[in-house]
Amino acid sequence: MVEDDKRRAFEKIYHSHKRLVWTTTGRFFHENDKRWDAFQNTWERVAKYFQKFFSAGCEFLPGYLVTITKNECKNLLVKEKRERSLPLELAGEEDFAAAAETRQGAARAKELLALLPRHYRAVLEMRLVLEMSNSEVAKALEITPAKASTWYRRGRDMLVRRLKEEGITYE
Amino acid sequence: MNENEALKRLLIEANEPGSLGITQDNLEEVPEWVEAGMAYFLQNPFQKQRPAGWRRALRYAAGIAAAIAVAMTVLYHTSPAARAWMDEVIRVVMTWREENTMFHFSGKQPEEVANSVWRPEWLPEGYEEYEVLDMSGATKIKYRNEEGRRFTLIYCPVEEGNMLDMDNEHSDYREITLNGQAAHLFESNTEGKNSFLVFFDETGRMAFQVYGLMPGETLIRVAESVAQKNLVKFLLLLSQNGPLKTYI
């Protein structure tokens, strides 16, 4: 993409989705300065990985943007030591297993994902959606690279295993 | 689709706005001060080495502005003279940082000022207006010529929440006078970098920024020609005749 076309495409995406990003920051922070930080960090990341972001396809843009925004908000929370939602223990594993017995399909896959321990899901989003390296994840969550790697592997295995057990596949 | 792609898609789909209870009906408007703060970034979102301080600078400036605001508020409510003085004089704070310069505005302008429409009556040869963006408080107008060279005019009322921001690393600064007011020229000294000019209308109630890959003298000439348009007449002419070159 020519540089100017790229800039115009960015500006178009910014103007059509800025309210979504701003509103998402409000789900994590009430303070305007924190929301401002998260808002800017989000758009900086979008710019940094614009080619990948742009090629994801229009239908995925909102989900992609919410993922990025959530991640930037969580990073700020971690930095402030306010994040209590990334427990070290494997909380929720039993719920995850129990919930695997009922419904089916894509909606079910999302439910399974929602039941994944939050620190696993956070690492999966960083690695698979935001394509961050293991060391970047470790730095963002202020954990060791070994732990980041373990969380990724366990979370991924747990999710794939449950999806397969329920016969959920992606074409 | 491989397994990683499938998981990636699942993770993205699971983060649809609805998952956070966000719908079209409850989207918040982006505050004007945020829009103003993003203007600098949007000028070149893909700049590889963005000054590390650009975000901190805004916060720093906001902190200073907050401290000043507290002091000013006390004065404003205790001294009629100070109140009159502030109403008329203290509208612009220029903040220099290592990599950029910002103009923060305060006060409130009457609606007819805030909604006024401005255009240059002189353009460098071959340039035409091709895009107008309403940026919640500021208006951004883009011009280009057949060779694809561009320049931009931004204008906004001098009031709370509005801000102009520019790179100062690749330019030489000088203060000049335009419309009887101090104006600020940042003339590029680096090939491929924009020159910037910040200026005000005669009343000091409307701020303008014009920038592009062109000499300072050209920006000044554009700036000197900027004039307020009669909104109704402007829209009428625009609908009849199309872009700028036909109505001046």
Side-chain angles (χ1 to χ4, degrees), chain A:
Chain A
M1 198 185 295
V2 181
E3 200 60 25
D4 204 47
D5 291 342
K6 205 170 136 186
R7 191 188 54 74
R8 288 170 68 86
F10 182 94
E11 214 166 317
K12 199 170 175 184
I13 289 171
Y14 171 80
H15 286 296
S16 55
H17 291 87
K18 61 190 178 186
R19 293 172 66 206
L20 171 62
V21 173
W22 182 251
T23 305
T24 305
T25 64
R27 296 292 189 270
F28 290 82
F29 300 109
H30 294 298
E31 306 96 322
N32 271 339
D33 60 332
K34 306 281 190 328
R35 294 182 70 179
W36 169 229
D37 273 349
F39 187 81
Q40 291 171 97
N41 290 351
T42 298
W43 291 110
E44 278 196 339
R45 181 162 282 278
V46 171
K48 189 173 177 185
Y49 298 104
F50 189 68
Q51 205 60 48
K52 287 177 190 170
F53 178 81
F54 193 70
S55 59
C58 289
E59 72 270 33
F60 295 114
L61 287 187
Y64 215 139
L65 273 169
V66 170
T67 308
I68 296 172
T69 312
K70 277 172 62 180
N71 184 60
E72 293 302 336
C73 290
K74 285 177 180 173
N75 288 349
L76 290 172
L77 288 168
V78 167
K79 279 178 190 150
E80 291 178 3
K81 308 288 185 194
R82 278 172 49 187
E83 174 65 286
R84 312 235 187 277
S85 57
L86 297 174
L88 295 178
E89 70 276 14
L90 301 183
E93 193 162 17
E94 295 79 12
D95 292 343
F96 185 74
E101 294 174 9
T102 49
R103 287 150 268 166
Q104 294 177 346
R108 178 72 189 128
K110 288 181 196 171
E111 286 181 1
L112 291 174
L113 184 60
L115 292 168
L116 203 64
R118 293 179 70 180
H119 58 301
Y120 285 176
R121 178 171 171 173
V123 173
L124 284 176
E125 286 179 350
M126 288 181 186
R127 290 286 299 272
L128 293 172
V129 181
L130 306 177
E131 301 186 20
M132 292 165 71
S133 68
N134 198 50
S135 56
E136 284 175 318
V137 172
K139 194 175 169 190
L141 296 178
E142 297 186 354
I143 55 177
T144 64
K147 186 169 278 182
S149 176
T150 303
W151 286 4
Y152 171 68
R153 186 168 43 76
R154 285 185 183 166
R156 192 180 187 288
D157 289 349
M158 187 184 291
L159 183 59
V160 169
R161 189 174 70 242
R162 290 304 179 187
L163 289 170
K164 282 183 178 168
E165 280 173 8
E166 297 217 3
I168 297 170
T169 56
Y170 280 80
E171 296 303 324

Side-chain angles (χ1 to χ4, degrees), chain B residues 81-200:
Chain B
R83 183 156 57 240
W85 178 71
M86 276 187 263
D87 279 346
E88 290 305 319
V89 179
I90 302 296
R91 296 184 188 282
V92 182
V93 176
M94 182 182 184
T95 309
W96 277 86
R97 300 286 294 169
E98 198 173 328
E99 309 92 353
N100 61 324
T101 300
M102 293 171 289
F103 292 82
H104 287 268
F105 305 128
S106 59
K108 178 76 184 162
Q109 300 299 345
E111 209 165 290
E112 63 269 22
V113 173
N115 293 331
S116 58
V117 175
W118 300 76
R119 290 292 187 277
E121 296 188 336
W122 178 87
L123 293 175
E125 193 177 345
Y127 280 83
E128 290 181 10
E129 177 181 314
Y130 73 95
E131 190 170 27
V132 180
L133 295 169
D134 179 1
M135 299 171 68
S136 304
T139 301
K140 185 176 189 177
I141 308 155
K142 299 180 180 179
Y143 301 87
R144 68 180 167 205
N145 65 12
E146 284 183 357
E147 295 163 2
R149 295 177 74 86
R150 296 159 201 274
F151 79 91
T152 303
L153 171 70
I154 297 174
Y155 63 84
C156 61
V158 175
E159 64 183 20
E160 195 68 38
N162 285 339
M163 185 191 81
L164 294 172
D165 190 356
M166 70 223 61
D167 171 31
N168 63 18
E169 278 187 292
H170 307 94
S171 56
D172 298 316
Y173 171 78
R174 71 186 154 106
E175 187 174 313
I176 58 176
T177 300
L178 273 175
N179 301 323
Q181 308 273 348
H184 309 271
L185 177 64
F186 298 76
E187 185 158 22
S188 173
N189 55 21
T190 309
E191 196 175 335
K193 296 293 179 185
N194 285 330
S195 296
F196 296 85
L197 174 61
V198 171
F199 62 101
F200 301 87

Side-chain angles (χ1 to χ4, degrees), chain B residues 8 12 17 43 48 58 72 74 88 101 109 131 133 136 173-174 191 193 204 224 229 241-242 248:
Chain B
K8 176 180 175 179
I12 292 175
Q43 284 171 17
K48 284 204 169 49
L58 292 173
M72 291 298 188
V74 172
E88 290 305 319
T101 300
Q109 300 299 345
E131 190 170 27
L133 295 169
S136 304
Y173 171 78
R174 71 186 154 106
E191 196 175 335
K193 296 293 179 185
E224 284 173 337
K229 299 290 170 186
N241 300 322
I248 59 173

